[in-house]
Amino acid sequence: MYPLLETINFPDQLRDLDRKQLPQLADELRSFLIDSVSQTGGHLSSNLGVVELSIALHYVFNTPDDRLVWDVGHQTYPHKILTGRREGMAMLRRAGGIAGFPRRNESPYDAFGAGHSSTSISAALGMAVAAQQAGSDRRAVAIIGDGAMSAGMAFEALNNAGAMDANLLVILNDNDMSISPPVGALNNYLAKLLSGRMYNTMRRGTEKVLGVAPPILELAKRAEEHVKGMVTPSTLFEEFGFNYIGPVNGHDLDVLVSTLTNIRELKGPQFLHVITQKGHGYKPAEDNPGRYHGVGKFDPENGEALGGSGRKTYTQIFGEWLVDMATQDERLIGITPAMCDGSGLNAFQAAFPSRYFDVGIAEQHALTFAAGMACDGLKPVVAIYSTFLQRAYDQLVHDIALQDLPVLLAIDRAGLVGADGPTHAGSFDISYLRCIPNMVIMTPSDENECRQMLYTGFKHNGPAAVRYPRGSGTGVTVQQKMQEIPLGKGEVRRLGSRVALLAFGSMLTPALQAAEKLDATVANMRFVKPLDTDLLQQLAGSHDLLVTVEENAVMGGAGSAVAEALSALELSVPLLQLGLPDTFIEHGTPEKLLADIGLDADGILTAVEKRLTY
């Protein structure tokens, strides 16, 4: 079915092919990718867009000695298939299988682990300097998308790299433009010319000769910039100190191979601008690349999704609340760092386009931007994944909390996220949020409570966070009427004896299930901060053992808050803290992962019974 692809297990076999065979390999690789991801789910559009680029990079560069650093890493499936993991794609993102992102411990071809964006240039620069220090001629290549280029870290790295003479190649994979207008025969010819030895030898020679006459050298440089600027958008990257080449058609293997071959021989920082199309070669993904960014199982014939619980996700609950709240309060502003679809803002964007702001992959900016709005009377809601909020911690502390500004953080993907693995797991937000003064932290246990907590946080005159998990909830009926929940007040959901389970957020359901066999009391704590110390004191006085259960790291989490409160209240009741262990938890289904670490009903039951036997 894939006669050429099946002969390629590693890049050295790829490099043995005739260049005329590469288009056939690209066709087979693209077909294999569609068939494979349709059975496992994963990222599709981005991977279809880099098939030719992945082939060309491994064809030209001597990997793994030459380092390829993929930004974000959600577009590395072709790279993985070409580097010994074709058969492993059947277990992509499943427990015990290969990861959906680059992992250094998975393959020597994965030069740098990724999952978050905008790290590639910094990492590749570090590798280029390491090669320079070792006297090695190995190359370092950073492949970064146009979205990831919007983050400040990418520009910090460009600024640093341009001032060095390390042999670094940055490839901008630009898929925000259509291919035809900017890329044609002339542009491809110019890219080959600008990357060729003759041009660069003349360029360096001219600098050496004219270096004795600075005014003439400056005039020559300006003339070169004007000539290149007429046909290429080079000015910005040239100012950073890079030699800009492109743009080139990222789906033309002949142009890619020729250009990369030339560039590999050049010294110093190089910048190659490649134009690609997300979803290239698969019409459903070409027509709707956002929908096929991250997919579950689907029918490869028509692209239709397969399976699904039928219940609304927490993300959908948030999206509906946002529209309803914006209808009631014209001060509401919705902000997302490049995750409109993932965070559920599509309907809000359509209904209130002037109040919707996608700031790009710039989480730090998103929070300070929100803080500025809050200073002048607006009520910003920042929709952000737990793991991405980590990138804006200083802005949360310094710009929002210190000034006690009314900014609501709608924190999606709190807790384990399953197939995306440790780079995307929201394992730490309770721990890193609760130590910040002025913060209110809420943990909804179901969809209706999520809606009411979002309303409560929005009404609160200060910084507030509502953390909710990925995927569907319990399926409870959501009340359209919005009501504030009393600040810092939990509730008893089941009365029992001897043991009290203090559940935070998503852990209420397994806690209730375990409590039936334990005859335990169950409290839905609802707030991590402020903690309901009255309820805590009541439970401590009437039970032999308190058990905290949370889908967050035990270290510094909600259980730690309870321990601190008990100490402050001078209550010496035994306490068992259950939560995520002090390790990065691998990919797999959330259900299996929670069972493996003892956070399902059986695990809670076992842990409590073991503690009671002490």
Side-chain angles (χ1 to χ4, degrees):
M1 187 174 180
Y2 307 104
L4 192 54
L5 179 62
E6 289 172 359
T7 68
I8 307 299
N9 294 309
F10 290 98
D12 55 349
Q13 296 164 314
L14 167 62
R15 291 189 278 269
D16 287 337
L17 295 180
D18 188 281
R19 280 176 63 166
K20 294 179 180 178
Q21 295 176 284
L22 298 184
Q24 178 188 340
L25 179 63
D27 290 341
E28 292 183 19
L29 179 53
R30 183 167 278 110
S31 296
F32 177 85
L33 191 61
I34 294 166
D35 289 340
S36 177
V37 176
S38 73
Q39 297 174 51
T40 62
H43 293 94
L44 186 61
S45 297
S46 54
N47 283 289
L48 291 173
V50 296
V51 167
E52 288 82 5
L53 180 58
S54 302
I55 291 172
L57 284 167
H58 283 292
Y59 191 76
V60 172
F61 288 91
N62 184 32
T63 55
D65 187 53
D66 286 336
R67 313 297 201 229
L68 301 184
V69 181
W70 298 87
D71 211 281
V72 183
H74 63 296
Q75 77 284 48
T76 52
Y77 298 0
H79 158 81
K80 293 196 175 206
I81 293 166
L82 295 170
T83 55
R85 288 166 280 182
R86 185 178 68 251
E87 293 184 1
M89 289 294 290
M91 287 290 288
L92 177 72
R93 309 191 326 147
R94 297 180 184 178
I98 64 175
F101 300 92
R103 298 287 296 274
R104 280 173 52 81
N105 62 0
E106 186 178 288
S107 169
Y109 291 91
D110 290 359
F112 195 76
H116 287 190
S117 83
S118 315
T119 60
S120 61
I121 304 175
S122 297
L125 177 59
M127 294 173 186
V129 170
Q132 192 177 54
Q133 293 284 317
S136 170
D137 66 350
R138 70 172 179 264
R139 301 294 161 151
V141 183
I143 305 100
I144 184 169
D146 55 292
M149 280 295 294
S150 67
M153 185 174 178
F155 285 93
E156 291 173 12
L158 285 173
N159 183 56
N160 191 208
M164 298 185 184
D165 60 352
N167 296 325
L168 171 69
L169 169 59
V170 174
I171 297 177
L172 173 60
N173 175 30
D174 185 350
N175 49 42
D176 196 38
M177 308 162 68
S178 59
I179 290 176
S180 301
V183 179
L186 177 60
N187 274 324
N188 287 331
Y189 170 74
L190 285 167
K192 288 183 180 180
L193 176 66
L194 296 176
S195 66
R197 268 190 200 174
M198 182 182 296
Y199 170 80
N200 282 275
T201 300
M202 291 173 59
R203 186 173 183 261
R204 289 194 301 273
T206 301
E207 289 178 353
K208 186 174 181 181
V209 171
L210 297 181
V212 297
I216 301 176
L217 175 60
E218 182 62 26
L219 179 63
K221 283 185 174 180
R222 289 187 179 184
E224 179 192 34
E225 287 177 5
H226 283 301
V227 171
K228 291 175 75 175
M230 286 189 291
V231 289
T232 64
S234 65
T235 306
L236 173 63
F237 302 107
E238 293 280 3
E239 289 296 327
F240 274 115
F242 282 77
N243 177 41
Y244 174 93
I245 299 157
V248 301
N249 185 342
H251 301 296
D252 188 325
L253 274 161
D254 184 59
V255 169
L256 283 174
V257 169
S258 296
T259 304
L260 289 170
T261 300
N262 287 336
I263 291 175
R264 197 186 185 285
E265 301 305 312
L266 302 181
K267 303 295 184 182
Q270 309 294 322
F271 192 99
L272 175 62
H273 188 172
V274 175
I275 306 295
T276 62
Q277 178 189 29
K278 276 190 174 181
H280 186 74
Y282 185 54
K283 193 172 188 311
E286 288 180 352
D287 292 343
N288 195 341
R291 178 183 172 189
Y292 289 88
H293 169 73
V295 294
K297 295 181 180 180
F298 65 94
D299 183 344
E301 294 297 320
N302 55 30
E304 292 300 317
L306 302 174
S309 68
R311 298 195 302 268
K312 287 183 178 179
T313 65
Y314 279 97
T315 302
Q316 289 173 314
I317 296 297
F318 164 72
E320 292 173 358
W321 169 82
L322 193 66
V323 171
D324 292 345
M325 193 71 245
T327 303
Q328 292 186 20
D329 193 329
E330 63 183 13
R331 298 174 300 164
L332 186 150
I333 302 293
I335 301 171
T336 176
M339 293 301 296
C340 178
D341 185 62
S343 292
L345 277 74
N346 306 75
F348 176 81
Q349 178 190 21
F352 302 98
S354 65
R355 292 156 65 183
Y356 164 82
F357 294 91
D358 182 346
V359 301
I361 302 177
E363 294 88 354
Q364 295 168 297
H365 164 61
L367 264 66
T368 304
F369 178 53
M373 289 182 169
C375 284
D376 279 356
L378 297 177
K379 295 280 284 185
V381 178
V382 180
I384 190 167
Y385 288 9
S386 170
T387 186
F388 298 156
L389 181 58
Q390 295 163 189
R391 297 163 66 96
Y393 193 64
D394 181 64
Q395 287 68 32
L396 176 58
V397 174
H398 187 271
D399 299 337
I400 294 177
L402 181 60
Q403 302 185 92
D404 201 18
L405 294 172
V407 175
L408 174 61
L409 303 175
I411 304 176
D412 204 334
R413 271 63 167 181
L416 301 182
V417 294
D420 280 340
T423 58
H424 285 60
S427 305
F428 312 111
D429 55 81
I430 289 178
S431 302
Y432 68 68
L433 286 175
R434 75 175 193 84
C435 62
I436 303 175
N438 295 329
M439 284 297 305
V440 169
I441 309 167
M442 292 171 271
T443 58
S445 61
D446 60 38
E447 302 92 318
N448 182 60
E449 201 164 63
C450 184
R451 180 178 172 88
Q452 309 313 326
M453 284 183 174
L454 289 165
Y455 181 73
T456 303
F458 183 78
K459 288 293 187 180
H460 177 65
N461 190 31
V466 180
R467 71 178 310 257
Y468 45 90
R470 181 179 190 174
S472 304
T474 59
V476 302
T477 301
V478 176
Q479 300 172 3
Q480 288 301 111
K481 183 179 179 181
M482 292 182 278
Q483 295 179 312
E484 289 187 63
I485 296 174
L487 202 65
K489 292 299 178 184
E491 59 177 2
V492 174
R493 293 289 293 268
R494 185 187 190 279
L495 278 173
S497 61
R498 197 178 178 193
V499 176
L501 303 178
L502 282 60
F504 292 86
S506 60
M507 290 291 100
L508 178 62
T509 297
L512 286 168
Q513 293 168 349
E516 290 299 318
K517 296 181 180 179
L518 290 167
D519 188 27
T521 294
V522 177
N524 176 20
M525 296 302 291
R526 301 198 294 201
F527 290 83
V528 175
K529 188 176 184 181
L531 192 67
D532 191 340
T533 53
D534 290 339
L535 178 57
L536 180 59
Q537 196 163 10
Q538 173 192 329
L539 296 173
S542 56
H543 293 81
D544 299 331
L545 174 66
L546 300 184
V547 182
T548 60
V549 195
E550 61 187 303
E551 197 173 344
N552 183 86
V554 169
M555 297 183 71
S560 295
V562 170
E564 292 160 13
L566 289 173
S567 177
L569 292 167
E570 299 183 349
L571 297 172
S572 57
V573 59
L575 176 67
L576 172 62
Q577 295 167 243
L578 302 180
L580 303 183
D582 184 26
T583 186
F584 289 106
I585 298 170
E586 295 300 323
H587 51 272
T589 64
E591 295 78 15
K592 184 180 188 307
L593 296 178
L594 289 171
D596 287 347
I597 59 176
L599 287 182
D600 61 350
D602 289 340
I604 295 170
L605 176 63
T606 300
V608 173
E609 288 179 336
K610 181 179 179 181
R611 181 60 178 267
L612 289 174
T613 60
Y614 284 178

